[in-house]
Amino acid sequence: MRLREEQDAAYRAALEADQARERHRREEQERVEREAAEVERKRMEEEEARERAAREAAEREAALAWRRQEKALSLGTEPERGPDVTQVLVRFPTGERKGQEILQHCYDPIHI
C-alpha cells in the first residue's frame, strides 16, 4: 500500500510540474503574442501618422498653389513702363529676384 501511495504522490508531483511548465509556456507565448501585437499596432499608428502628414502636406501645397494661381489671375497684366509706373524688385535669401511693375497710385498689397 505504501508503495502505491508513494507512486501516486510522485505521479501527482510530476503532473503538477508538467502543468506548471505548460502554464508557464502558455503565459510566455501569450506575452510574446501581446508584445508582437503591440509592436504591430505601433507600426500601424506610425504608418497612419506618416500618411496623414503626407496627405496634409500635399493639401497645404495644393492650397498654396491654388492661392498663387488665383492671385496671379487677379493681378491682371502689368502696366506699360511710364511716368506713373514703379518697378519693385525683391531679392530673396536664395539669391532669386522677383519684380513687378505697379501703378504709383495703386494701393493693393503686392504678392510675389
Side-chain angles (χ1 to χ4, degrees), residues 56-83:
E56 289 171 356
E59 289 171 358
R60 282 192 304 272
E61 186 63 33
L64 181 60
W66 180 81
R67 283 196 307 269
R68 285 180 179 157
Q69 183 180 13
E70 286 295 313
K71 194 58 169 174
L73 292 174
S74 71
L75 288 176
T77 59
E78 290 185 4
E80 298 277 330
R81 285 193 178 201

Side-chain angles (χ1 to χ4, degrees), residues 89-99 112:
L89 289 173
V90 177
R91 186 177 321 166
F92 294 93
T94 61
E96 180 183 8
R97 291 173 50 152
K98 295 260 183 170
I112 299 178

Side-chain angles (χ1 to χ4, degrees), residues 2-69:
R2 186 175 162 108
L3 178 62
R4 176 72 177 181
E5 290 173 359
E6 289 176 6
Q7 288 176 338
D8 286 346
Y11 173 77
R12 281 192 301 273
L15 182 61
E16 287 174 7
D18 287 346
Q19 289 173 343
R21 275 194 301 274
E22 181 63 24
R23 188 172 40 255
H24 178 69
R25 187 192 62 77
R26 275 194 316 263
E27 289 171 355
E28 183 66 20
Q29 183 178 359
E30 289 171 357
R31 185 188 63 78
V32 168
E33 288 173 357
R34 277 193 312 271
E35 288 175 356
E38 181 67 18
V39 166
E40 179 65 16
R41 184 188 62 78
K42 285 182 180 179
R43 186 190 67 77
M44 292 296 289
E45 286 176 356
E46 290 172 358
E47 183 178 329
E48 288 172 2
R50 279 192 302 273
E51 289 174 359
R52 186 174 39 258
R55 188 173 46 251
E56 289 171 356
E59 289 171 358
R60 282 192 304 272
E61 186 63 33
L64 181 60
W66 180 81
R67 283 196 307 269
R68 285 180 179 157
Q69 183 180 13

